[in-house]
Amino acid sequence: MDKQIGTLYLLECMKSFKGLKSTCEKAISQLDNAQMHQISEADSNSVVIIMKHMAGSMLSRWTDFLTTDGEKSDRNRDGEFEDDFTSRDQLMQFWERGWVCLFQALAQLQAHHLTQNITIRGEDHTVLRAINRQLAHYSYHTGQIVFVSKMLLGTKWRTLSIPKKEA
C-alpha cells in the first residue's frame, strides 16, 4: 500500500472515530439519567446498554490490537447487555476507557500495518479490514443512540446537524 495513502487513511479513520464519539456524547447530553436507562420493550437496549456494549467491544478489539485476537477470552459480551451501572459517571468512565484504548491503538499504527493480518474471533483480517469493521460497527450503534435519544426526547430534541429548511 502506498505510504501516503495509508497515512491519510489512518488520519481519516481517527477523525471518523472522534466524530462518532462526539455525536454520541452530544446526543446523550440531552438525556436525563432515567432516559439513559429507558427501554421501549423487554428485548430492546437502552442508551446505557448500547454505550456499555460499544466500550466493551473497544476494550476487546483494540487492546493489544496487532498481537492478540480481537475477541479477548476475558470479555463478558453477554454482560455488556446488562444494565448494572449505578451512575452516569460510572458509565462515562467505562465509555472513556474504551475510547482511550481505541485512540491509543490507532495512534500507534502506521501505513505499513494496514496490510498486516490480525485475528478477530479466530478469523484473519487485514488491519485495514479490522478498522473498517469497527468503524462500521460503531457507526451502527451511534445511529442507534441518536435514534433512541431522538425518540425519547420528541419535540425537545435538538438536532446534531443542519436543521430542516436551513440547508
Side-chain angles (χ1 to χ4, degrees), residues 30-75:
Q30 298 182 51
L31 300 176
D32 63 31
N33 290 339
Q35 290 168 322
M36 293 281 292
H37 295 270
Q38 192 169 329
I39 58 171
S40 61
E41 57 189 53
D43 287 337
S44 65
N45 293 317
S46 67
V47 169
V48 168
I49 293 297
I50 298 166
M51 291 175 68
K52 183 179 178 186
H53 168 62
M54 287 175 70
S57 172
M58 289 174 205
L59 291 167
S60 184
R61 296 291 185 267
W62 296 95
T63 299
D64 302 322
F65 179 71
L66 294 174
T67 58
T68 63
D69 191 290
E71 187 68 13
K72 303 300 182 278
S73 60
D74 63 348
R75 181 181 184 193

Short mmCIF file of all heavy atoms in Angstrom, two decimals, residues 30-75:
data_model
loop_
_atom_site.label_atom_id
_atom_site.label_comp_id
_atom_site.label_asym_id
_atom_site.label_seq_id
_atom_site.Cartn_x
_atom_site.Cartn_y
_atom_site.Cartn_z
N GLN A 30 -28.38 15.44 25.99
CA GLN A 30 -29.76 15.92 26.01
C GLN A 30 -30.67 15.04 26.88
O GLN A 30 -31.81 15.41 27.15
CB GLN A 30 -30.31 15.98 24.58
CG GLN A 30 -29.54 16.93 23.69
CD GLN A 30 -30.14 17.01 22.30
OE1 GLN A 30 -31.34 17.23 22.14
NE2 GLN A 30 -29.30 16.84 21.28
N LEU A 31 -30.18 13.89 27.30
CA LEU A 31 -30.99 12.93 28.06
C LEU A 31 -30.75 13.09 29.56
O LEU A 31 -29.63 13.34 30.00
CB LEU A 31 -30.64 11.50 27.66
CG LEU A 31 -30.84 11.11 26.20
CD1 LEU A 31 -30.34 9.68 25.97
CD2 LEU A 31 -32.29 11.25 25.80
N ASP A 32 -31.81 12.86 30.33
CA ASP A 32 -31.62 12.79 31.77
C ASP A 32 -31.26 11.35 32.15
O ASP A 32 -31.26 10.45 31.30
CB ASP A 32 -32.85 13.30 32.54
CG ASP A 32 -34.12 12.48 32.32
OD1 ASP A 32 -34.03 11.25 32.10
OD2 ASP A 32 -35.21 13.08 32.39
N ASN A 33 -30.93 11.13 33.39
CA ASN A 33 -30.46 9.81 33.81
C ASN A 33 -31.50 8.71 33.58
O ASN A 33 -31.16 7.61 33.16
CB ASN A 33 -30.02 9.84 35.27
CG ASN A 33 -28.73 10.63 35.45
OD1 ASN A 33 -27.98 10.83 34.51
ND2 ASN A 33 -28.50 11.10 36.66
N ALA A 34 -32.75 9.00 33.85
CA ALA A 34 -33.80 7.99 33.65
C ALA A 34 -33.92 7.64 32.17
O ALA A 34 -34.06 6.45 31.82
CB ALA A 34 -35.13 8.50 34.18
N GLN A 35 -33.84 8.61 31.30
CA GLN A 35 -33.93 8.36 29.86
C GLN A 35 -32.77 7.50 29.37
O GLN A 35 -32.94 6.69 28.46
CB GLN A 35 -33.99 9.68 29.09
CG GLN A 35 -35.28 10.43 29.28
CD GLN A 35 -35.22 11.85 28.77
OE1 GLN A 35 -34.20 12.53 28.89
NE2 GLN A 35 -36.32 12.31 28.18
N MET A 36 -31.61 7.67 29.98
CA MET A 36 -30.44 6.88 29.58
C MET A 36 -30.69 5.38 29.77
O MET A 36 -30.15 4.56 29.03
CB MET A 36 -29.21 7.28 30.41
CG MET A 36 -28.71 8.68 30.15
SD MET A 36 -27.73 8.80 28.66
CE MET A 36 -26.29 7.86 29.10
N HIS A 37 -31.51 5.02 30.73
CA HIS A 37 -31.78 3.62 31.07
C HIS A 37 -33.09 3.10 30.47
O HIS A 37 -33.39 1.92 30.59
CB HIS A 37 -31.82 3.44 32.59
CG HIS A 37 -30.51 3.71 33.26
ND1 HIS A 37 -29.55 2.74 33.47
CD2 HIS A 37 -29.98 4.86 33.75
CE1 HIS A 37 -28.51 3.28 34.08
NE2 HIS A 37 -28.74 4.56 34.26
N GLN A 38 -33.84 3.97 29.85
CA GLN A 38 -35.18 3.61 29.37
C GLN A 38 -35.11 2.67 28.16
O GLN A 38 -34.28 2.83 27.28
CB GLN A 38 -35.92 4.89 28.98
CG GLN A 38 -37.39 4.68 28.74
CD GLN A 38 -38.13 6.02 28.61
OE1 GLN A 38 -37.75 7.02 29.22
NE2 GLN A 38 -39.18 6.00 27.83
N ILE A 39 -36.01 1.67 28.17
CA ILE A 39 -36.14 0.76 27.03
C ILE A 39 -37.58 0.80 26.54
O ILE A 39 -38.49 1.09 27.31
CB ILE A 39 -35.73 -0.69 27.37
CG1 ILE A 39 -36.55 -1.25 28.53
CG2 ILE A 39 -34.24 -0.78 27.67
CD1 ILE A 39 -36.35 -2.73 28.78
N SER A 40 -37.76 0.50 25.26
CA SER A 40 -39.12 0.55 24.70
C SER A 40 -39.86 -0.77 24.86
O SER A 40 -41.08 -0.80 24.86
CB SER A 40 -39.06 0.95 23.22
OG SER A 40 -38.31 0.00 22.49
N GLU A 41 -39.12 -1.86 24.98
CA GLU A 41 -39.72 -3.19 25.20
C GLU A 41 -38.66 -4.10 25.80
O GLU A 41 -37.48 -3.75 25.83
CB GLU A 41 -40.26 -3.75 23.89
CG GLU A 41 -39.22 -3.86 22.79
CD GLU A 41 -39.80 -4.22 21.44
OE1 GLU A 41 -40.73 -3.56 20.99
OE2 GLU A 41 -39.29 -5.18 20.86
N ALA A 42 -39.07 -5.26 26.25
CA ALA A 42 -38.19 -6.15 27.02
C ALA A 42 -36.87 -6.49 26.30
O ALA A 42 -35.83 -6.57 26.94
CB ALA A 42 -38.93 -7.43 27.39
N ASP A 43 -36.91 -6.71 25.01
CA ASP A 43 -35.69 -7.13 24.30
C ASP A 43 -34.92 -5.98 23.67
O ASP A 43 -33.95 -6.21 22.95
CB ASP A 43 -36.04 -8.15 23.22
CG ASP A 43 -36.39 -9.51 23.80
OD1 ASP A 43 -35.96 -9.79 24.94
OD2 ASP A 43 -37.10 -10.27 23.12
N SER A 44 -35.32 -4.75 23.94
CA SER A 44 -34.59 -3.62 23.35
C SER A 44 -33.47 -3.18 24.28
O SER A 44 -33.41 -3.56 25.45
CB SER A 44 -35.55 -2.47 23.04
OG SER A 44 -36.10 -1.95 24.24
N ASN A 45 -32.58 -2.37 23.74
CA ASN A 45 -31.44 -1.89 24.51
C ASN A 45 -31.58 -0.41 24.81
O ASN A 45 -31.96 0.38 23.94
CB ASN A 45 -30.13 -2.12 23.74
CG ASN A 45 -29.82 -3.58 23.59
OD1 ASN A 45 -29.95 -4.35 24.53
ND2 ASN A 45 -29.40 -3.98 22.41
N SER A 46 -31.24 -0.06 26.02
CA SER A 46 -31.22 1.36 26.41
C SER A 46 -29.95 2.00 25.87
O SER A 46 -29.02 1.31 25.41
CB SER A 46 -31.23 1.48 27.94
OG SER A 46 -30.02 0.96 28.48
N VAL A 47 -29.89 3.30 25.95
CA VAL A 47 -28.67 4.02 25.56
C VAL A 47 -27.50 3.54 26.42
O VAL A 47 -26.39 3.33 25.91
CB VAL A 47 -28.89 5.55 25.68
CG1 VAL A 47 -27.58 6.30 25.54
CG2 VAL A 47 -29.89 6.02 24.62
N VAL A 48 -27.73 3.32 27.70
CA VAL A 48 -26.67 2.82 28.59
C VAL A 48 -26.12 1.49 28.08
O VAL A 48 -24.90 1.30 28.00
CB VAL A 48 -27.19 2.67 30.04
CG1 VAL A 48 -26.20 1.89 30.90
CG2 VAL A 48 -27.45 4.03 30.65
N ILE A 49 -27.00 0.58 27.71
CA ILE A 49 -26.57 -0.74 27.23
C ILE A 49 -25.78 -0.62 25.94
O ILE A 49 -24.75 -1.27 25.77
CB ILE A 49 -27.79 -1.68 27.05
CG1 ILE A 49 -28.42 -2.01 28.39
CG2 ILE A 49 -27.41 -2.94 26.29
CD1 ILE A 49 -27.53 -2.76 29.36
N ILE A 50 -26.24 0.21 25.02
CA ILE A 50 -25.53 0.37 23.74
C ILE A 50 -24.14 0.93 24.00
O ILE A 50 -23.15 0.45 23.44
CB ILE A 50 -26.32 1.26 22.77
CG1 ILE A 50 -27.68 0.64 22.45
CG2 ILE A 50 -25.52 1.51 21.49
CD1 ILE A 50 -28.66 1.59 21.78
N MET A 51 -24.05 1.91 24.87
CA MET A 51 -22.75 2.50 25.18
C MET A 51 -21.83 1.50 25.88
O MET A 51 -20.63 1.43 25.59
CB MET A 51 -22.93 3.75 26.05
CG MET A 51 -23.57 4.91 25.30
SD MET A 51 -23.92 6.33 26.37
CE MET A 51 -22.24 6.87 26.77
N LYS A 52 -22.40 0.72 26.80
CA LYS A 52 -21.62 -0.29 27.51
C LYS A 52 -21.08 -1.33 26.52
O LYS A 52 -19.92 -1.74 26.60
CB LYS A 52 -22.49 -0.96 28.58
CG LYS A 52 -21.75 -1.97 29.43
CD LYS A 52 -22.69 -2.57 30.48
CE LYS A 52 -21.98 -3.62 31.32
NZ LYS A 52 -22.91 -4.31 32.23
N HIS A 53 -21.94 -1.75 25.60
CA HIS A 53 -21.51 -2.71 24.59
C HIS A 53 -20.41 -2.13 23.70
O HIS A 53 -19.42 -2.81 23.40
CB HIS A 53 -22.71 -3.16 23.75
CG HIS A 53 -22.32 -3.92 22.53
ND1 HIS A 53 -21.65 -5.13 22.58
CD2 HIS A 53 -22.49 -3.63 21.21
CE1 HIS A 53 -21.43 -5.56 21.34
NE2 HIS A 53 -21.93 -4.67 20.50
N MET A 54 -20.58 -0.90 23.27
CA MET A 54 -19.55 -0.27 22.42
C MET A 54 -18.20 -0.23 23.15
O MET A 54 -17.17 -0.59 22.59
CB MET A 54 -19.97 1.14 22.01
CG MET A 54 -21.06 1.19 20.97
SD MET A 54 -21.62 2.88 20.61
CE MET A 54 -20.17 3.53 19.73
N ALA A 55 -18.21 0.21 24.39
CA ALA A 55 -16.96 0.32 25.15
C ALA A 55 -16.36 -1.06 25.40
O ALA A 55 -15.14 -1.24 25.29
CB ALA A 55 -17.21 1.05 26.47
N GLY A 56 -17.19 -2.04 25.69
CA GLY A 56 -16.69 -3.41 25.88
C GLY A 56 -16.05 -3.94 24.61
O GLY A 56 -14.99 -4.58 24.64
N SER A 57 -16.68 -3.66 23.49
CA SER A 57 -16.13 -4.06 22.19
C SER A 57 -14.78 -3.38 21.95
O SER A 57 -13.83 -4.02 21.50
CB SER A 57 -17.12 -3.70 21.08
OG SER A 57 -16.54 -3.92 19.82
N MET A 58 -14.71 -2.10 22.25
CA MET A 58 -13.46 -1.36 22.05
C MET A 58 -12.33 -1.96 22.89
O MET A 58 -11.22 -2.15 22.39
CB MET A 58 -13.64 0.11 22.42
CG MET A 58 -14.47 0.88 21.45
SD MET A 58 -14.75 2.55 22.08
CE MET A 58 -16.28 2.93 21.24
N LEU A 59 -12.63 -2.23 24.14
CA LEU A 59 -11.59 -2.78 25.02
C LEU A 59 -11.11 -4.14 24.52
O LEU A 59 -9.92 -4.46 24.60
CB LEU A 59 -12.09 -2.86 26.46
CG LEU A 59 -12.29 -1.50 27.12
CD1 LEU A 59 -13.07 -1.65 28.42
CD2 LEU A 59 -10.95 -0.82 27.37
N SER A 60 -12.02 -4.94 24.00
CA SER A 60 -11.65 -6.25 23.49
C SER A 60 -10.87 -6.13 22.17
O SER A 60 -9.81 -6.73 22.00
CB SER A 60 -12.90 -7.11 23.29
OG SER A 60 -12.54 -8.41 22.89
N ARG A 61 -11.41 -5.36 21.25
CA ARG A 61 -10.81 -5.28 19.91
C ARG A 61 -9.48 -4.54 19.87
O ARG A 61 -8.59 -4.91 19.13
CB ARG A 61 -11.77 -4.59 18.93
CG ARG A 61 -13.06 -5.33 18.67
CD ARG A 61 -12.84 -6.62 17.89
NE ARG A 61 -14.10 -7.25 17.56
CZ ARG A 61 -14.70 -8.17 18.29
NH1 ARG A 61 -14.14 -8.60 19.40
NH2 ARG A 61 -15.85 -8.69 17.92
N TRP A 62 -9.37 -3.47 20.65
CA TRP A 62 -8.22 -2.58 20.49
C TRP A 62 -7.09 -2.82 21.49
O TRP A 62 -5.99 -2.30 21.31
CB TRP A 62 -8.68 -1.12 20.53
CG TRP A 62 -9.58 -0.80 19.38
CD1 TRP A 62 -10.95 -0.82 19.36
CD2 TRP A 62 -9.18 -0.46 18.05
NE1 TRP A 62 -11.42 -0.50 18.11
CE2 TRP A 62 -10.35 -0.26 17.28
CE3 TRP A 62 -7.94 -0.28 17.42
CZ2 TRP A 62 -10.33 0.09 15.95
CZ3 TRP A 62 -7.92 0.07 16.08
CH2 TRP A 62 -9.10 0.25 15.36
N THR A 63 -7.32 -3.61 22.53
CA THR A 63 -6.24 -3.96 23.45
C THR A 63 -5.30 -4.93 22.74
O THR A 63 -5.75 -5.93 22.19
CB THR A 63 -6.81 -4.61 24.73
OG1 THR A 63 -7.66 -3.66 25.39
CG2 THR A 63 -5.70 -5.05 25.67
N ASP A 64 -4.03 -4.62 22.72
CA ASP A 64 -3.03 -5.45 22.02
C ASP A 64 -3.50 -5.77 20.60
O ASP A 64 -3.45 -6.91 20.14
CB ASP A 64 -2.76 -6.74 22.80
CG ASP A 64 -2.28 -6.47 24.21
OD1 ASP A 64 -1.51 -5.51 24.40
OD2 ASP A 64 -2.67 -7.21 25.13
N PHE A 65 -3.95 -4.75 19.92
CA PHE A 65 -4.60 -4.85 18.62
C PHE A 65 -3.82 -5.67 17.60
O PHE A 65 -4.40 -6.51 16.91
CB PHE A 65 -4.83 -3.42 18.08
CG PHE A 65 -5.48 -3.36 16.73
CD1 PHE A 65 -6.81 -3.71 16.57
CD2 PHE A 65 -4.77 -2.93 15.62
CE1 PHE A 65 -7.43 -3.64 15.33
CE2 PHE A 65 -5.38 -2.86 14.38
CZ PHE A 65 -6.71 -3.21 14.22
N LEU A 66 -2.53 -5.46 17.51
CA LEU A 66 -1.74 -6.15 16.49
C LEU A 66 -1.27 -7.54 16.90
O LEU A 66 -0.81 -8.32 16.05
CB LEU A 66 -0.51 -5.31 16.11
CG LEU A 66 -0.78 -3.98 15.41
CD1 LEU A 66 0.52 -3.20 15.24
CD2 LEU A 66 -1.47 -4.20 14.07
N THR A 67 -1.38 -7.88 18.18
CA THR A 67 -0.73 -9.10 18.65
C THR A 67 -1.65 -10.17 19.24
O THR A 67 -1.20 -11.31 19.42
CB THR A 67 0.35 -8.76 19.69
OG1 THR A 67 -0.26 -8.05 20.78
CG2 THR A 67 1.46 -7.90 19.08
N THR A 68 -2.89 -9.82 19.58
CA THR A 68 -3.78 -10.82 20.16
C THR A 68 -5.12 -10.81 19.43
O THR A 68 -5.48 -9.82 18.79
CB THR A 68 -4.05 -10.57 21.66
OG1 THR A 68 -4.71 -9.31 21.83
CG2 THR A 68 -2.75 -10.59 22.46
N ASP A 69 -5.85 -11.90 19.54
CA ASP A 69 -7.17 -11.97 18.92
C ASP A 69 -8.04 -10.84 19.46
O ASP A 69 -8.02 -10.54 20.66
CB ASP A 69 -7.82 -13.33 19.22
CG ASP A 69 -9.06 -13.58 18.38
OD1 ASP A 69 -10.09 -12.91 18.60
OD2 ASP A 69 -9.00 -14.43 17.49
N GLY A 70 -8.81 -10.24 18.58
CA GLY A 70 -9.68 -9.12 18.96
C GLY A 70 -10.83 -9.50 19.86
O GLY A 70 -11.50 -8.64 20.41
N GLU A 71 -11.08 -10.78 20.01
CA GLU A 71 -12.11 -11.24 20.95
C GLU A 71 -11.37 -11.83 22.14
O GLU A 71 -10.94 -12.98 22.13
CB GLU A 71 -13.02 -12.29 20.30
CG GLU A 71 -14.19 -12.70 21.14
CD GLU A 71 -15.23 -11.60 21.35
OE1 GLU A 71 -15.20 -10.56 20.65
OE2 GLU A 71 -16.07 -11.78 22.23
N LYS A 72 -11.18 -11.01 23.17
CA LYS A 72 -10.40 -11.43 24.33
C LYS A 72 -11.15 -12.48 25.14
O LYS A 72 -12.38 -12.43 25.26
CB LYS A 72 -10.08 -10.22 25.22
CG LYS A 72 -9.33 -9.09 24.51
CD LYS A 72 -7.99 -9.53 23.96
CE LYS A 72 -7.22 -8.41 23.31
NZ LYS A 72 -7.61 -8.12 21.94
N SER A 73 -10.40 -13.41 25.69
CA SER A 73 -11.00 -14.52 26.43
C SER A 73 -11.71 -14.05 27.70
O SER A 73 -12.64 -14.71 28.18
CB SER A 73 -9.94 -15.56 26.79
OG SER A 73 -8.93 -14.97 27.59
N ASP A 74 -11.31 -12.90 28.24
CA ASP A 74 -11.95 -12.41 29.46
C ASP A 74 -13.12 -11.47 29.19
O ASP A 74 -13.74 -10.96 30.12
CB ASP A 74 -10.92 -11.72 30.37
CG ASP A 74 -10.31 -10.48 29.74
OD1 ASP A 74 -10.48 -10.25 28.52
OD2 ASP A 74 -9.64 -9.73 30.48
N ARG A 75 -13.47 -11.28 27.94
CA ARG A 75 -14.60 -10.41 27.61
C ARG A 75 -15.90 -11.12 28.00
O ARG A 75 -16.12 -12.27 27.68
CB ARG A 75 -14.63 -10.09 26.12
CG ARG A 75 -15.79 -9.18 25.74
CD ARG A 75 -15.83 -8.88 24.27
NE ARG A 75 -16.90 -7.93 23.97
CZ ARG A 75 -17.34 -7.68 22.75
NH1 ARG A 75 -16.80 -8.29 21.70
NH2 ARG A 75 -18.31 -6.81 22.56
#
